[in-house]
Every structure is written in C-alpha cells, then in structure tokens.
Amino acid sequence: MDGEKIKVGAALLGVGVVGGGTYKIITEQREKIKKIYGVDLTVRHILERDKSKTDALGVDPSIVSTDIENVLNDDGIQVVAEFFGGTEPAKTFLIKCLMKGKSVVTSNKELVCKHFAELEDAARIGGGGLYFEASCVGGVPIVRTLTDAMQANDIREIKGIINGTTNYILSRMANDGTDYADALKTAQKLGYAEADPTADTEGYDAAYKLSILSSLAYNKRVPIDKIFREGINNVAAEDINFGKEFGMTLKLLGISKSIGGKIEARVHPAFIGDNHPLASVKGSFNAVYLKGNNVGDIMLYGRGAGDLPTGSAIVSDMVFASVNTRHRRYPFINETVSDGDFISNFSSKYYIRMKVTDKAGTLSKISGIFGRFGVSITTVLQKPPTDESGIVSIIFITHITNENAISEAVKAIKDLESVAEISNVIRVEE
Ligand code: HSE
C-alpha cells in the first residue's frame, strides 16, 4: 500500500498461550502488515503477573504491569487484545477500554456469548470496535465469513465440529478402540484437554461458539440457554464401533438452523455418514459447514485452538480494527427474544442401543411401542450373545422423528420387563 502508514499501539491483556502467540506474530509480521495494510502495529503495554512469560518472549520490562489504568490512560493505545478468559475481570476491563474509545479484540467466547450486548453498547458509546474472530474456532475465519462474505445469502444452517478436545477424544476412540476414560486421559496428557475437562466434554465451549456464530448467521440473538446441550461423556466405544458397521462416524456437533423464521440450535454427539465432509475432520481439527440460500454449501477447516492459529485470528482483527473507518455494529444483539423464537422439539433420526432378553416377542413389543409414538424404524441390528446371560444388544436406527416422540418411546420401552437397559440414544444427522 502506498502512502501514509497509521501508527497503532496495542495492549495485550495477558501473554499466556494465545497472548504469547499474538506477541510473536505481531513481531514477526510487523513489516509485512506495515507494507501491505499500511498499519504500523506495535505492542505498547502488556498486563501480566507472571514475569517468566514476558521474559520468555523477550519483552521490555518497562512496558509490563498489572494495572489496567496504564492501558486506559495511554492515548497511544488504540487496540486492546484480551486473553484472560472467563468473564471477570475481562468484562469490566474491556468495557472500560471500549468506553474510552479503544477497539477491543478478544478470543473470549464465554464473555462474548454471555455479555455481547453490554460490550456492544460500550463500543457504540466509545466509538471503537468490538472484534472477536478468535472467539470462534481459533484460526478458522468463520466470523469474518459470516459477517463479511455472506451479504448475498440467507444462512439456512450451520453444522460444525467446533471443539478440538472432544474431536480428539472421539477420533482416538474411533482409531484405537479405547474407551472414553482412556481417550480423555491421553488428551489431558497431550495438553488437548484441561485437568477439569467439563467445559469441553460437556459441550459448553461448543455452545458458546454456536451461540455467537448463530447470532451472526441469523442476525438474531441466540442465547446459550436456548441451545440444547449434551456432552460426550456417555459415548461408549461400542457406539462408535456399531456406528462403523452402519457406515457412520460419531462427532460432537454444533448445529443450528433457521426454519420458518425460528431458530433451532443444539450441541450434542451425532452420527454422520462416513462420506459427509465433516466425517473426515479428525484429531483436534475443527470445521464448520454452512448452507446459504445462494452460495450453497461452504466448509471451512483448520485449527480451532493453539497459540499461533488463534493468534493469527487476533492479529487479523487488530489490523481490521486499525483500518476500519466504520466499525461493525450488531444492533440485533439488544433485541428481546422468547421461547417462541426457538425450536426445542427438533427433528432428527436416532440411533438407539439397548440390552434386551433374547426371547420370542421382545422385538415385537419394542416395535409396537415405537409405532405407538409414531417412530418409524429403518434398521435393526441384533448382535449375537457375548455370554450366557441371555442378554443381547439391539440397535435401532429410526427415520426422521422428533425429540418428544423419542423420549416418550424410550421411556415406555425402558419399562418393558424384557429390556435390561437403554444403553444410549444418539442423534443421526443427514
Ligand atoms: N478448548 C477448545 C477446544 C479451544 O478444544 O476446541 C478453545 O475454544
């Protein structure tokens, strides 16, 4: 780019994994960003308690402190990138920065999901921008795709593998035949899963991201409490193996749809056909599949976490925040929504695995109950007994039905004397 370069001072709130990656990228890409985008981006201040982290990055100690006032009161800082995670003190600090007219860049999905409206209000008052590409799917530019590339479309559907930890665990179970507990332990050993893995394994992390992405896709607030959520902790190696027999792969999916003006949003384990593009997304990789009414299907694939992939999204937002003369606003985020705007009794096919007594009449009683609740079966598979107990596993796959019908049918089947247990119910996506 010819002509004047804009000098932009940045503050980094924390230099842990992603903050550190961001610092490295800013240093490494400075000349390129100056030349191509006309922005001379430098780090003017870092908030960090742990001196070993700033020392490891070779940061000049004179720009490091633990006092947010040093950021707020420095007019040379126009962009603040936050890496604290969690809602506090991130929210208080960022609102102060926004009210001062600074732009904010964050990878904090919980904060954006829960407090989008307050941050947006502060940005509007201060005049700065609110940028959060890194909050959803790390280095994959899904936010920018939704906000800056889909103007000509009504988005009909998002379907994504938007949590790397669970994808790693499920891939490991599928490849090695290990059970959930072992795969989780390996994921923790390799640093993919936290010591307390519940945010990932119970689907909260994916639900935060789905809330943000769905709000942007449908221009309507999709609060986390309107997202159905189920984690992967009940998935057994057996389910994954039976899925293979049916040509299906098990993934934790974030799915949302716009149907007749209502939104359906859900995070849960789901089988997809082995030939679906998402089935080939393995290990800690993420991917998001979008359907637009004009563009058709799009899939974005990449790293959803990590210092440099997420730092890549952060630095991209910093450059955007610096060059944009009109920051994007999200007026819909303040609109009131009610239960009537969302679909809770959603439709799906289902895989149901149960243990039953292997005797005449069992199958017909079960089929009768499915029929009573309008659930039509496409496939039944009975496995040979594995011991002398007379108990065998049966797997049913249904046609498309809905949550209410399945839960009523399963409740009634569970009460049958010949049914020892309902081992699992897993949705099957088209
Ligand atoms: N813990 C997340 C994951 C990365 O496993 O994908 C940050 O959201």
Side-chain angles (χ1 to χ4, degrees):
M1 184 192 271
D2 289 332
E4 212 179 313
K5 312 282 183 231
I6 323 167
K7 276 188 100 51
V8 174
L12 307 184
L13 309 190
V15 278
V17 176
V18 178
T22 298
Y23 185 84
K24 285 183 202 153
I25 293 173
I26 293 175
T27 311
E28 176 207 300
Q29 297 286 325
R30 181 175 175 190
E31 288 310 314
K32 202 281 294 292
I33 290 172
K34 199 178 351 175
K35 186 162 163 230
I36 308 292
Y37 303 101
V39 176
D40 187 11
L41 182 64
T42 52
V43 176
R44 275 177 71 95
H45 203 83
I46 292 178
L47 284 199
E48 180 56 66
R49 266 201 188 91
D50 184 347
K51 194 171 171 310
S52 70
K53 289 185 179 157
T54 46
D55 284 352
L57 293 165
V59 175
D60 172 357
S62 71
I63 67 162
V64 183
S65 80
T66 54
D67 188 355
I68 188 68
E69 294 300 321
N70 290 326
V71 175
L72 293 170
N73 297 330
D74 183 348
D75 290 337
I77 292 174
Q78 290 87 26
V79 181
V80 178
E82 180 267 328
F83 305 99
F84 290 158
T87 52
E88 286 296 352
K91 181 179 133 198
T92 303
F93 285 6
L94 293 188
I95 286 178
K96 284 183 178 171
C97 291
L98 288 163
M99 296 292 275
K100 280 256 183 182
K102 300 179 193 301
S103 286
V104 155
V105 174
T106 182
S107 59
N108 189 332
K109 60 213 64 100
E110 183 180 358
L111 178 68
V112 177
C113 169
K114 292 183 179 165
H115 300 288
F116 198 161
E118 288 145 280
L119 295 166
E120 172 68 10
D121 283 347
R124 207 176 301 118
I125 293 166
L130 173 62
Y131 292 83
F132 48 89
E133 175 68 72
S135 69
C136 294
V137 203
V140 177
I142 179 63
V143 169
R144 193 93 69 231
T145 300
L146 287 170
T147 56
D148 292 271
M150 290 291 122
Q151 296 89 336
N153 287 271
D154 296 330
I155 306 287
R156 302 283 199 230
E157 183 179 329
I158 299 175
K159 192 177 278 178
I161 295 170
I162 52 179
N163 181 271
T165 305
T166 47
N167 204 45
Y168 177 84
I169 292 171
L170 293 174
S171 300
R172 188 104 203 172
M173 289 172 76
N175 286 346
D176 306 350
T178 44
D179 66 13
Y180 172 74
D182 279 347
L184 171 60
K185 256 188 233 144
T186 311
Q188 284 169 321
K189 210 157 55 193
L190 295 174
Y192 289 120
E194 309 277 340
D196 174 2
T198 46
D200 293 314
T201 55
E202 292 187 8
Y204 290 102
D205 176 83
Y208 293 144
K209 294 169 190 166
L210 188 66
S211 157
I212 298 167
L213 296 177
S214 303
S215 300
L216 298 175
Y218 312 119
N219 289 295
K220 187 184 184 98
R221 194 158 64 87
V222 181
I224 188 135
D225 66 354
K226 299 289 183 281
I227 299 180
F228 172 88
R229 183 188 48 76
E230 186 182 292
I232 63 165
N233 357 6
N234 289 328
V235 169
E238 272 172 294
D239 296 314
I240 293 182
N241 291 336
F242 286 138
K244 281 183 188 164
E245 292 190 35
F246 291 111
M248 304 189 304
T249 303
L250 190 71
K251 297 289 183 190
L252 180 75
L253 296 183
I255 300 169
S256 71
K257 297 179 185 176
S258 169
I259 304 172
K262 292 191 177 196
I263 308 295
E264 166 183 319
R266 45 196 168 104
V267 169
H268 53 71
F271 282 114
I272 45 175
D274 288 339
N275 54 2
H276 191 288
L278 289 173
S280 62
V281 178
K282 304 246 164 74
S284 62
F285 276 91
N286 285 204
V288 186
Y289 189 82
L290 289 181
K291 272 185 199 295
N293 65 329
N294 290 316
V295 70
D297 297 355
I298 294 179
M299 190 161 108
L300 285 91
Y301 168 89
R303 292 252 174 235
D307 57 348
L308 299 177
T310 311
S312 156
I314 292 277
V315 175
S316 171
D317 269 355
M318 290 172 123
V319 174
F320 256 77
S322 306
V323 297
N324 272 356
T325 46
R326 278 177 57 210
H327 297 294
R328 182 174 298 287
R329 302 294 178 214
Y330 302 94
F332 63 83
I333 213 69
N334 281 307
E335 286 168 8
T336 311
V337 290
S338 64
D339 284 352
D341 297 318
F342 299 90
I343 298 169
S344 56
N345 184 24
F346 54 84
S347 298
S348 176
K349 297 179 177 181
Y350 293 80
Y351 153 106
I352 302 145
R353 174 167 64 89
M354 58 185 84
K355 288 196 163 58
V356 304
T357 315
D358 191 12
K359 62 176 189 203
T362 297
L363 201 52
S364 84
K365 281 188 198 132
I366 295 170
S367 311
I369 292 177
F370 277 131
R372 180 144 53 88
F373 289 97
V375 176
S376 168
I377 303 299
T378 78
T379 315
V380 184
L381 174 70
Q382 178 172 332
K383 302 306 282 185
T386 52
D387 55 31
E388 300 300 308
S389 67
I391 302 284
V392 290
S393 286
I394 301 192
I395 292 97
F396 293 87
I397 310 249
T398 74
H399 279 290
I400 289 197
T401 175
N402 58 59
E403 286 287 300
N404 290 352
I406 278 293
S407 80
E408 292 296 317
V410 164
K411 207 160 34 168
I413 291 168
K414 211 172 173 177
D415 287 342
L416 290 174
E417 205 188 313
S418 48
V419 172
E421 73 172 31
I422 304 289
S423 315
N424 218 340
V425 177
I426 297 176
R427 293 155 194 92
V428 177
E429 281 297 307
E430 300 272 58

